[in-house]
Amino acid sequence: MGKKMILLGNEAIARGIVEAGCEVACAYPGTPSSEILPAVAKWADELETKTVVEWGANEKVAFEMAAAASFAGKRTCAVMKQVGLNVAADPFMSVAHFQLKGGFLLVVADDPGPHSSQTEQDSRFFAMFAKVPCFDPSTAAEAKEMVFDAYDLSERHGIVTMLRPSVRVDHCRQDVELLDVLPIERPASFEKDVKRWVCLPAHVKINHPLLNKKNDAIREEFEKDFSKYNYEVPAEGKASLGIIAGGISFAVVMDLLTSMGRKDVSVLKIGTPYPLPTKLVGDFIAKHDKVLVLEETYPVIETQIIDRSKVLGRLNGWVPRAGELLPEVVEEVILKALGEEVVSSSEEEYLKKALEELKIAPRKPMLCPGCPHRASFFSIKQALPNAIYPSDIGCYTLGVNQKTVDAVIDMGASITQSSGFYLAHKVDGAERPIVATIGDSTFFHMGLPGLASAVYNKHAFVLAILDNSITAMTGGQSHPGVGEKLRKEDEGRRVDLEGAVRGCGVKWIKTVEAYDVRENKDLVKEAWEYAKANKEPAVLIFKHPCMLLRVEQDKIPVKVDQDKCIGCKFCIDFFNCPGLVFDEEKKKAYIDERFCVQCGVCINVCPHGAILGSNGEEA
Amino acid sequence: MQYVIVGIGGQGILFSSRVLGHIALSRGERVIGSEVHGMAQRGGSVISHFKIGKYSSPLVKAKEADVLLAFDQNEAIRNLHFLKRGGKAIINVHAPEAFENESLKQFLKGRDIELYPIKGYEILKEHMNGRFLFLNVLILGAMCGAGIGNVTIDEVKKAIEDLAPPKHIEANLKVVDLGYGAMAK
Ligand SMILES: Cc1ncc(C[n+]2csc(CCOP(=O)(O)OP(=O)(O)O)c2C)c(N)n1
Ligand code: SF4
Ligand code: SF4
């Protein structure tokens, strides 16, 4: 038996990837998948494999890099979050048809809830859409084991294979067994073969039926040879209810049945939701009067069931159609399916009342104290208070707290929305200031095509690139604008942000220190005047390192002069720093030293000069 | 044993469950737990579930936790429903008046829940120069001092020695004692 260690689900998956002999690993960060690639690097170094690990500029880039490495015969993987697969959908759908050479594992992390995403989409549906086999782990340990089988399946059938952990598997911590590396000696050898590697329509006509055949064969295997992932936990005696459960929902159901003391419920676990082993499922259903299907977040197993006459699930309203299947939710669904009453306790009412009386609500996320984005947003709002503020995905989406984020769709859409807003007003002969905000990582991810398009079509708006030298929201990964690679010792080269912007044809471009809120306010105005006069985007790069990078900076202790503060709440409404809070009783702002990091920016925020640097700095 | 650990993003709550996990593993027990990463880490409410024993799911169900460790009193009150009847909570308190609330008292009485308040910010300001990131070990020490949570102070110290960066071990051990002392008094 191997050594046991407590690992994060994502570290376990990474360990599996290295143990399985993956040599090329590519990703773009995104919660809840971000820890996988760094852990691949860590394990590879520890186990002394040659595995290369790289962040692509976006998920499509990462997917295609990994795909081609498979064409050359290497075991590869691409890792992303669920919405990342939307970006990589194009190559995913196409590559699904290929007869691959090296094993290709696609890890897509889903986020039911959602906790950190713009959708709750279910990637197993994407697997079904692309006709690609999918593994759905219930625990960290199982996820690691599935990596091996996914590679094996991928190589035997020449097909890309999906592992779909959801957030509770990615971010669970569990004892996991460690093994050694599978010895695979396989030098890169790309054999030219147009029929195999070029997706011409004529080739698809051959490959699509072939893909269907692979699906049939894999379904057969899932019926018979994968009882370690697809198995029944029978009831004692006659079952009052059957439950089919996949992914984390299976784990939740098992703990629930134990704590509820129910022995009259049998459970069929499904670890391979696509292609569904329909015979196995059909036999299970045949044995029961009614069967509840529990899976997150879409009815993927359920829709594949051929005869649903005894099935209780999402399609007929027995299971909530949105949100996470938390233990409390599942308990209620099970009791309902058993025809039993759900009892609520009276004590719970006291707690609810206490929360109301004490005005306690969940704490909303906020930009960190000292965050440069807060300063940038403040300058923008002060310069052009009536502008439309299209924004983007990153820590700076929290600019909503400062009322400087008006519309967000997905990564890169700050720029393209600015174009759309511009056009909507242009057709009326009208004009309105527009200031878009985008992070540096997001700019390299999907900002460039939008900017080139806006220059080409002559759209007037200000683009503020918030350059904090990091991909912060997802925990601090590097990106092309940083230059440093995932493994610090690997050589990378920084792509110059200003140069990239200039290369898109932008003429007005300035890089500023984000903390200089007064000067920057004037520059935002100037940028808009230029954009308006010349009918083209003007770009301001607000530069200052993210607090996560812990770059040394001057410490400027601040205090709020209680006589000068008139209680207007301007600083709370438009600056919104956790270090600056409002005393509702005294009607004055004060510094909360538990959070303040003494960045000193707020000195320039109070219109009444009430925020002072303790060293005498004044606005 | 089932633990729920709550706080505010940035307070370093994840280290507490790592310590608990390390202790359980060295005893040869099985562990599973759930953490929060991402958006909420930016100063939002964060929660970590941790279970020692034969469990499959990383999530603690409402009314099943044995112990609640709270780095913030508001987060504590918001998550009291996780505690089972007779459950116990260590709470870092900054505004003790809140616990005078009658409805809250009724709830606690009804569920037979025992609270162990600790003035973490005051203690760390006085003894650790206001380095509030030590809250996690302070609370672990307090848990041992209160005699709840089913781990001993020696186990906690051993785990910290194994897990903390070498240059911070000494300070961490000092804070564990501070927490222990605050409760044992
Ligand atoms: C398609 C897609 N991939 C990944 C993510 C996860 N994600 C959220 S924000 C973000 C980037 C944040 O970096 P940056 O733009 O530099 O802003 P910062 O957080 O540093 O302020 C990423 C990768 C996502 N939401 N969508
Ligand atoms: S992590 Fe960095 S970018 Fe994100 S809120 Fe904190 S300081 Fe700002
Ligand atoms: S100095 Fe002001 S802006 Fe900076 S962290 Fe402290 S309260 Fe926030």
Side-chain angles (χ1 to χ4, degrees):
Chain A
M1 212 173 104
K3 190 177 128 196
K4 274 204 168 182
M5 239 177 120
I6 297 181
L7 298 182
L8 197 63
N10 280 343
E11 293 170 329
I13 291 169
R15 176 77 189 201
I17 288 170
V18 176
E19 286 176 2
C22 169
E23 291 187 277
V24 178
C26 308
Y28 182 75
T31 315
S33 72
S34 311
E35 299 83 9
I36 298 177
L37 196 68
V40 169
K42 184 189 77 177
W43 294 124
D45 292 348
E46 217 172 291
L47 293 165
E48 296 179 359
T49 73
K50 287 180 294 186
T51 319
V52 291
V53 288
E54 293 202 349
W55 297 119
N58 66 32
E59 292 85 354
K60 177 170 144 65
V61 171
F63 187 97
E64 290 160 0
M65 290 197 291
S70 152
F71 300 173
K74 292 291 189 189
R75 281 200 165 183
T76 71
C77 72
V79 182
M80 58 200 64
K81 69 180 293 178
Q82 92 284 41
V83 290
L85 185 56
N86 299 340
V87 174
D90 204 4
F92 178 54
M93 297 300 290
S94 175
V95 165
H97 293 77
F98 282 49
Q99 182 61 30
L100 295 176
K101 202 167 157 191
F104 182 7
L105 173 71
L106 168 65
V107 182
V108 192
D110 279 0
D111 185 16
H115 296 262
S116 266
S117 303
Q118 62 265 42
T119 73
E120 283 195 285
Q121 68 194 66
D122 188 327
S123 300
R124 299 173 308 153
F125 246 129
F126 233 131
M128 185 155 115
F129 186 26
K131 303 189 178 179
V132 157
C134 176
F135 290 86
D136 185 14
S138 300
T139 61
E142 190 181 50
K144 177 170 175 286
E145 195 177 350
M146 282 178 167
V147 168
F148 280 85
D149 290 300
Y151 272 114
D152 180 60
L153 195 79
S154 172
E155 262 169 21
R156 282 190 293 107
H157 295 274
I159 192 168
V160 53
T161 302
M162 181 192 288
L163 178 74
R164 191 286 303 233
S166 62
V167 59
R168 299 296 182 178
V169 172
D170 293 302
H171 292 158
C172 81
R173 236 175 230 290
Q174 192 188 12
D175 47 315
V176 174
E177 197 180 331
L178 307 185
L179 303 174
D180 287 331
V181 183
L182 216 63
I184 297 181
E185 275 295 325
R186 203 187 291 160
S189 69
F190 175 64
E191 291 152 55
K192 296 194 185 199
D193 180 351
V194 172
K195 282 209 187 91
R196 193 169 177 186
W197 308 122
V198 182
C199 65
L200 283 170
H203 301 160
V204 179
K205 287 198 174 72
I206 300 161
N207 286 337
H208 190 185
L210 204 68
L211 175 60
N212 290 336
K213 274 205 184 124
K214 288 182 197 176
N215 270 246
D216 294 342
I218 293 169
R219 190 191 307 276
E220 270 306 298
E221 280 191 36
F222 285 171
E223 297 274 11
K224 295 195 300 260
D225 309 332
F226 280 82
S227 59
K228 62 176 165 178
Y229 303 138
N230 304 322
Y231 57 86
E232 184 177 336
V233 185
E236 276 176 21
K238 171 143 174 57
S240 328
L241 176 71
I243 296 179
I244 299 175
I248 194 69
S249 300
F250 170 75
V252 168
V253 166
M254 293 319 287
D255 278 5
L256 259 177
L257 292 178
T258 308
S259 87
M260 291 161 82
R262 303 287 316 209
K263 300 202 159 82
D264 60 336
V265 178
S266 52
V267 183
L268 177 67
K269 173 181 150 59
I270 292 295
T272 63
Y274 186 83
L276 186 73
T278 39
K279 194 170 168 308
L280 193 73
V281 170
D283 290 349
F284 179 79
I285 294 175
K287 287 191 289 191
H288 296 84
D289 297 334
K290 52 189 171 184
V291 171
L292 180 64
V293 183
L294 294 167
E295 55 186 328
E296 278 182 334
T297 36
Y298 288 17
V300 174
I301 294 175
E302 193 182 343
T303 37
Q304 292 179 81
I305 295 174
I306 295 160
D307 177 1
R308 290 199 291 269
S309 54
K310 289 200 262 176
V311 170
L312 316 177
R314 287 209 165 83
L315 295 175
N316 50 15
W318 284 83
V319 180
R321 288 192 295 175
E324 215 180 342
L325 291 180
L326 295 168
E328 299 79 27
V329 178
V330 176
E331 183 178 35
E332 228 183 283
V333 173
I334 292 178
L335 286 172
K336 226 171 59 184
L338 283 162
E340 289 174 22
E341 228 180 295
V342 184
V343 278
S344 68
S345 80
S346 57
E347 295 139 12
E348 215 71 44
E349 291 305 314
Y350 285 120
L351 188 58
K352 266 195 208 137
K353 216 167 135 224
L355 288 170
E356 263 167 41
E357 287 162 1
L358 295 165
K359 297 198 184 71
I360 299 176
R363 252 182 95 97
K364 280 192 289 188
M366 278 168 116
L367 293 169
C368 301
C371 175
H373 298 335
R374 175 180 297 106
S376 308
F377 280 127
F378 185 77
S379 313
I380 291 167
K381 182 85 182 174
Q382 295 309 302
L384 298 168
N386 296 319
I388 302 176
Y389 305 119
S391 190
D392 231 298
I393 315 255
C395 282
Y396 51 93
T397 313
L398 295 172
V400 283
N401 297 338
Q402 285 168 274
K403 299 153 192 79
T404 35
V405 167
D406 292 333
V408 176
I409 303 175
D410 65 351
M411 290 185 79
S414 56
I415 301 175
T416 46
Q417 289 178 101
S418 298
S419 290
F421 283 124
Y422 172 76
L423 291 176
H425 290 84
K426 186 186 158 183
V427 288
D428 295 351
E431 198 172 58
R432 190 164 165 192
I434 299 166
V435 186
T437 41
I438 190 169
D440 46 352
S441 186
T442 302
F443 181 74
F444 284 108
H445 175 284
M446 202 53 99
L448 284 162
L451 186 57
S453 176
V455 170
Y456 159 55
N457 287 305
K458 292 194 68 66
H459 298 157
F461 59 87
V462 178
L463 172 63
I465 304 180
L466 309 178
D467 180 2
N468 57 357
S469 304
I470 194 172
T471 316
M473 175 88 277
T474 47
Q477 297 78 12
S478 55
H479 61 71
V482 178
E484 192 171 82
K485 294 184 69 167
L486 196 162
R487 272 197 191 98
K488 303 258 183 293
E489 59 276 20
D490 286 350
E491 193 186 348
R493 183 157 156 196
R494 193 175 72 83
V495 178
D496 179 44
L497 184 56
E498 237 192 78
V501 171
R502 196 158 282 138
C504 286
V506 174
K507 300 228 179 56
W508 195 103
I509 162 166
K510 282 201 168 65
T511 300
V512 300
E513 161 55 53
Y515 274 10
D516 295 340
V517 289
R518 306 201 136 202
E519 294 82 342
N520 295 347
K521 175 180 161 187
D522 296 336
L523 279 172
V524 173
K525 280 190 200 153
E526 193 185 316
W528 168 242
E529 290 307 322
Y530 178 90
K532 191 166 66 171
N534 295 280
K535 305 249 174 313
E536 61 186 52
V539 174
L540 259 171
I541 300 177
F542 289 86
K543 215 172 157 61
H544 191 98
C546 163
M547 292 295 110
L548 293 179
L549 290 165
R550 295 176 194 273
V551 175
E552 280 284 331
Q553 62 184 44
D554 290 344
K555 280 206 184 290
I556 305 171
V558 293
K559 60 170 194 275
V560 179
D561 185 327
Q562 297 293 301
D563 295 330
K564 283 191 183 164
C565 175
I566 63 159
C568 66
K569 275 191 162 179
F570 176 86
C571 57
I572 308 289
D573 291 342
F574 297 105
F575 199 61
N576 201 254
C577 178
L580 194 55
V581 286
F582 198 72
D583 186 330
E584 290 291 350
E585 254 147 50
K586 292 194 196 131
K587 300 275 175 240
K588 303 270 180 195
Y590 70 97
I591 300 295
D592 187 340
E593 54 186 59
R594 292 179 303 162
F595 300 111
C596 173
V597 296
Q598 309 182 335
C599 73
V601 177
C602 57
I603 297 172
N604 286 306
V605 165
C606 175
H608 308 284
I611 306 179
L612 308 170
S614 317
N615 302 333
E617 294 90 343
E618 251 185 80
Chain B
M1 276 303 271
Q2 304 194 47
Y3 307 79
V4 170
I5 308 171
V6 298
I8 300 168
Q11 282 187 314
I13 78 167
L14 296 184
F15 187 69
S16 312
S17 50
R18 281 187 60 207
V19 169
L20 293 175
H22 192 81
I23 293 171
L25 195 69
S26 56
R27 288 183 190 164
E29 290 181 283
R30 305 208 47 194
V31 301
I32 190 158
S34 173
E35 302 179 348
V36 171
H37 296 248
M39 188 65 130
Q41 278 183 319
R42 305 280 165 267
S45 303
V46 287
I47 179 162
S48 175
H49 303 237
F50 202 77
K51 296 154 96 171
I52 301 182
K54 279 194 186 151
Y55 296 102
S56 316
S57 143
L59 295 173
V60 174
K61 190 170 82 73
K63 270 175 97 171
E64 290 195 352
D66 299 277
V67 172
L68 174 70
L69 300 180
F71 288 49
D72 177 89
Q73 70 176 53
N74 286 357
E75 293 308 313
I77 299 171
R78 276 194 342 100
N79 290 293
L80 282 170
H81 63 283
F82 275 108
L83 281 174
K84 67 176 190 192
R85 202 164 290 287
K88 323 246 184 246
I90 304 279
I91 305 180
N92 174 30
V93 167
H94 62 268
E97 324 77 75
F99 295 91
E100 299 302 319
N101 177 283
E102 275 309 317
S103 314
L104 182 57
K105 282 185 176 165
Q106 289 275 11
F107 171 80
L108 295 171
K109 199 165 140 241
R111 283 269 166 96
D112 191 21
I113 287 171
E114 208 169 331
L115 304 187
Y116 298 83
I118 177 167
K119 290 189 176 165
Y121 293 120
E122 276 181 27
I123 296 175
L124 293 176
K125 226 160 122 181
E126 189 182 333
H127 298 279
M128 298 306 294
N129 217 352
R131 281 143 82 199
F132 299 135
L133 270 175
F134 283 113
L135 261 179
N136 45 24
V137 279
L138 185 80
I139 284 175
L140 287 173
M143 181 176 81
C144 301
I148 62 174
N150 204 21
V151 292
T152 66
I153 185 149
D154 293 334
E155 285 177 310
V156 169
K157 285 185 172 175
K158 170 82 179 52
I160 287 171
E161 279 165 10
D162 292 345
L163 294 173
K167 60 175 180 176
H168 295 308
I169 289 177
E170 204 178 317
N172 271 302
L173 295 181
K174 176 177 160 190
V175 178
V176 175
D177 281 332
L178 285 172
Y180 189 90
M183 277 303 153
K185 253 184 265 170

